[in-house]
Amino acid sequence: MSNREFYQDTFSQVHSSKEIRWEDIQTMKRRRRGSRRVFMLAAVICALAALSVAAAATGLFGLRDALLPEKGSVNMLDGNGIVVPGEYEYRDFVSLSGYQDTPESRALAEWQTFLAGYDEDGSIISAIGNAPTGFEDRYGFYLVYTQEMADKLEEIIAKYGLRLHTRMEIVMPGAWPAAAGNFCGENVTAYSGYIYENGTFRFDGEAELGAGELKGYGAIEYQFSRSVRGTFDDVALNIGDVSDFQEWEYETADGTPVTLGLGRRNRSIIMADLGDSFILVNVLTGGEGDDTFSSAPIGWEELEELADSFRFSALTPAEAPDFDAILWENERYLEEQENQPLETEETEDPLYDRTGMRPEVAREFVLMLAERIADGKKREVAELLVYPSQVEVAAGTFTVRSPEEFLPYYDEVIGQNCQGLSTAMTWEPTPSEPWIFSDGSGLAAVADGAVWFGLTEENVIRVFTIQTDQAAVRSGEGDSPDPNEDEIYAGTGIERDAAKAFVWDLTDLLSGGKREKVAELFVYPCAVHVAGGVFTVNTPEELLAYYDEAIELDVETLVDNLDYHSIFTHNGLVGAGDGTAWFGLVEDGGIRLFSLWTPQGLGVGPVS
C-alpha cells in the first residue's frame, strides 16, 4: 500500500465530497491531555469548503483581508452538536493560501464559486459512484470528477500562473524537523499531519503556556498551516463571524511580524505572511472559550505567548521537503510506538475518556434517536447514520452512500424492529447495569450493543451500527460490484442497490402525487396507452395531459405491485413488479423509465 493509499484508507472521507470542510476543525472531541490519537488532524485539515453566494466585507489588513469573497454554508447543529436535518447557516471563511490580493487566494475564490454552482444536486458524482474517472493522476488532490471540472481548474491555474500539487506524504510526530526544519519551540508538541511536494503542510498540536505573568496557564491546542506560494491549494477555514475577533499586530520573539485575532469563543487566529509562504495557526480557544480543547479561555497575553512559541523565520525560504528523510523518520517513529506499552489509565469520566462524548450529551443523542425511531421519522433517522455503510438484509448485503440510498432498506432494518429498538435504548438501568457503555474503540453503545454511535470527522455524533436479529446497517464500504455475482449489474450496468433505490423513489413519487417528477423519469419519445388509443408524446409536458387516465387511474395498485426486493433483468433493462416497470441506463449515465403499466394494461411504453 502506498503512503497516499494509507492516508486515504485511514481517513476515508478526505476528498470524498465537496461537503467536507476544514472548518469543522476536529475529527472528534479529543480526550484531555495524555491519550492523544496521533492521526487525528489529517482528516479534517485536508478538506474542501462548499461556498454559497453572500458578500463579505473586506478590510485593509488582518482577518478581513484574508476573507474569501463569498460566505460558506455549513450544517446547523443543535446545542448538543447534532445536525438539524435540512438546515444550514452561512459563515465567514478565510483562505489558507494568503490575503485576498494574492494569486493563490483569488484562484481559490474563483474555484469555490465554480463548485458552488456545479453539480448542486450531486447527480453527476452519484452516477459516477466509485468508478474511476480518469482524472486521478493529475487531479488526485482536488475534487475533479468530470472533464468540465478539469477544464475549469486548468483555466484557473493558467490564469493565475499556478501549479497543482503532485505528491503528499504523512508526517508522523517527531518527523517534523526532517520535514520542515526546527520551527517549533521547546514548549510545542507537533502531532501528525501531511506535507506536499512544495513544502505546504498542515498538522495539529499542543503547546504548554505559563511563562512570565501567565503563571502556568497549561496546555493550549492549535492547528498549524503553511501554504507555499505558486501552487493551487483548495483549503479554507470557517471562522464564524469575522466581527467576533479582536485584532492587533505583534512582533514575535524571533522578530516575525504577525497578525493576532482573539476570537470570542473557541477559536483564535495567528497569521504571518512570510513572502514565499503564508502561515495560519487556528487556535482552539478564545476569550469566552471553555476547557474542551485547551486549559481555559485566553486573552492577549496567552495568544502572544503562543505566537512566541514558533520560530516562523525558520520556515523561510520555503524548501521542497526531503521525502526519503520523512519516510525514514516515520518508520522510526512507528517502530518506537510498537514498542510502547498500551495506555490503560483513564480519567474519572470513562465514557468521555474513551469516546470524547460527555455522558449527558450521549444520553440526549440516544433519547433523540429512540424518539425518532418510535415516531417513524425515517428520513431524520437515515440522516444520523455514517456513510458509506453496509446494509445486511434478507436479500443480501448492499452498500449505501446516502440517506436516499438507505431509505429503501429502512423498514427491514429498523421499521420492523422500531418498538424493540426504541424501548431497548430508553430503559432505566440499575446501578450495576450501565445504560451507555464503550469498549475502548472510540464508540459508545446502547441496547446491549444493538446500536453503536460516536463522534465523526465533522465533530458530530452519528450512528455507526444498528443491528437486530433480522438485519443490520454498519459503517464501511463494500467492494465494487462483481458482474459474476450481481446479475442486475451484469445485465444492465446498474448496481442492485441503485436499482432498488430507483424503485423506492418511483413509488414514493407515485404515492405522493408528484406528477411532474414522474413524467421527468421517462425516456422520450414514448407511447401513452389509454382507453381512447395509443398516442406518442415527446416531452414530460405532453405526457402530463394523459397522466390521470394512464397512471393515476389505478395508482394505488400500481404502487403495491412495485416491490423493490423482487427486481430482475431482461434485454439490458431492470424489471420490477413482474414487469410493472422497466428502467435502465441512458446515454448520459442516468437511470430512466422505459415503461410503466397499470393492471388494466394502461400506462406508458416505448414507441412501436
Side-chain angles (χ1 to χ4, degrees), residues 15-31:
H15 297 300
S16 64
S17 79
K18 61 185 179 183
E19 291 300 318
I20 307 260
R21 292 175 287 269
W22 192 47
E23 100 283 333
D24 288 321
I25 303 179
Q26 298 84 9
T27 18
M28 60 182 68
K29 281 193 176 180
R30 287 166 284 186
R31 315 171 209 178

Side-chain angles (χ1 to χ4, degrees), residues 197-481:
E197 77 295 326
N198 68 337
T200 292
F201 65 77
R202 297 184 180 97
F203 67 89
D204 70 346
E206 186 174 274
E208 286 290 330
L209 303 185
E213 299 179 357
L214 293 183
K215 298 178 182 178
Y217 168 89
I220 187 168
E221 301 190 27
Y222 64 87
Q223 295 174 321
F224 195 107
S225 167
R226 175 176 79 168
S227 298
V228 178
R229 298 263 157 75
T231 299
F232 177 66
D233 201 38
D234 58 0
V235 186
L237 172 67
N238 172 8
I239 63 169
D241 186 341
V242 69
S243 63
D244 285 342
F245 290 82
Q246 303 175 45
E247 297 183 48
W248 69 100
E249 301 300 314
Y250 180 69
E251 184 174 300
T252 64
D254 73 338
T256 302
V258 298
T259 297
L260 303 182
L262 178 64
R264 189 174 67 178
R265 300 190 65 187
N266 286 334
R267 184 168 308 174
S268 298
I269 300 293
I270 301 172
M271 296 191 305
D273 190 334
L274 303 182
D276 58 0
S277 64
F278 183 76
I279 306 295
L280 188 145
V281 183
N282 183 32
V283 186
L284 305 186
T285 191
E288 299 176 6
D290 52 36
D291 63 354
T292 302
F293 301 108
S294 296
S295 296
I298 62 172
W300 286 40
E301 295 83 4
E302 288 83 2
L303 194 56
E304 289 176 352
E305 183 176 330
L306 179 60
D308 287 334
S309 301
F310 299 102
R311 292 184 285 271
F312 297 108
S313 57
L315 291 172
T316 186
E319 298 180 356
D322 183 341
F323 284 126
D324 290 337
I326 294 171
L327 294 175
W328 188 89
E329 290 291 343
N330 285 347
E331 188 68 28
R332 186 173 65 85
Y333 173 81
L334 291 174
E335 289 177 357
E336 291 177 353
Q337 293 302 302
E338 289 175 358
N339 296 327
Q340 294 291 326
L342 295 175
E343 295 181 20
T344 57
E345 181 180 354
E346 294 185 342
T347 69
E348 70 279 4
D349 188 346
L351 184 67
Y352 178 78
D353 188 76
R354 294 180 179 184
T355 69
M357 295 181 291
R358 297 291 184 190
E360 61 271 21
V361 175
R363 179 184 177 89
E364 288 299 319
F365 177 84
V366 171
L367 294 175
M368 178 201 66
L369 176 62
E371 180 181 2
R372 290 184 178 180
I373 289 176
D375 292 343
K377 296 180 178 179
K378 300 180 181 182
R379 177 73 190 195
E380 295 183 21
V381 173
E383 289 180 342
L384 293 176
L385 298 178
V386 170
Y387 295 99
S389 286
Q390 290 291 290
V391 177
E392 300 169 14
V393 291
T397 301
F398 309 101
T399 300
V400 293
R401 298 179 179 86
S402 66
E404 291 76 12
E405 292 186 15
F406 174 71
L407 284 173
Y409 306 98
Y410 184 97
D411 288 338
E412 190 169 357
V413 177
I414 296 175
Q416 296 176 10
N417 307 281
C418 61
Q419 184 174 357
L421 276 173
S422 60
T423 301
M425 283 191 287
T426 54
W427 65 276
E428 289 297 331
T430 65
S432 61
E433 296 175 314
W435 180 45
I436 301 175
F437 62 95
S438 174
D439 63 353
S441 65
L443 301 180
V446 290
D448 294 328
V451 178
W452 289 84
F453 61 97
L455 290 167
T456 65
E457 293 169 357
E458 306 118 343
N459 195 28
V460 172
I461 302 177
R462 295 194 186 278
V463 177
F464 285 73
T465 299
I466 295 180
Q467 182 171 350
T468 67
D469 293 336
Q470 299 82 22
V473 54
R474 297 184 177 88
S475 66
E477 188 167 8
D479 297 329
S480 298

Side-chain angles (χ1 to χ4, degrees), residues 519 522-530 533-547 550-551 594 603-608:
F522 284 94
V523 172
Y524 290 94
C526 55
V528 179
H529 296 250
V530 292
V534 180
F535 306 93
T536 299
V537 294
N538 297 290
T539 65
E541 291 75 17
E542 293 180 16
L543 173 60
L544 288 173
Y546 300 94
Y547 189 96
I551 297 173
F594 284 77
V604 181
V607 177
S608 300

Side-chain angles (χ1 to χ4, degrees), residues 468-598:
T468 67
D469 293 336
Q470 299 82 22
V473 54
R474 297 184 177 88
S475 66
E477 188 167 8
D479 297 329
S480 298
D482 184 348
N484 296 319
E485 297 178 357
D486 185 346
E487 61 180 2
I488 300 298
Y489 182 81
T492 68
I494 303 173
E495 294 181 33
R496 181 179 291 271
D497 52 350
K500 287 187 173 183
F502 182 85
V503 176
W504 169 274
D505 290 339
L506 175 61
T507 57
D508 191 47
L509 293 173
L510 289 166
S511 300
K514 306 293 186 181
R515 305 180 180 202
E516 292 80 5
K517 295 291 185 181
V518 173
E520 289 173 359
L521 292 177
F522 284 94
V523 172
Y524 290 94
C526 55
V528 179
H529 296 250
V530 292
V534 180
F535 306 93
T536 299
V537 294
N538 297 290
T539 65
E541 291 75 17
E542 293 180 16
L543 173 60
L544 288 173
Y546 300 94
Y547 189 96
D548 285 345
E549 191 175 357
I551 297 173
E552 186 69 23
L553 188 66
D554 196 7
V555 69
E556 291 185 4
T557 305
L558 190 153
V559 169
D560 290 340
N561 288 344
L562 288 173
D563 180 7
Y564 62 82
H565 288 300
S566 302
I567 57 177
F568 55 98
T569 180
H570 182 67
N571 290 337
L573 297 179
V574 181
D578 292 329
T580 297
W582 289 94
F583 57 92
L585 290 176
V586 294
E587 290 183 359
D588 65 2
I591 303 175
R592 292 289 185 270
L593 269 174
F594 284 77
S595 63
L596 182 66
W597 303 105
T598 68

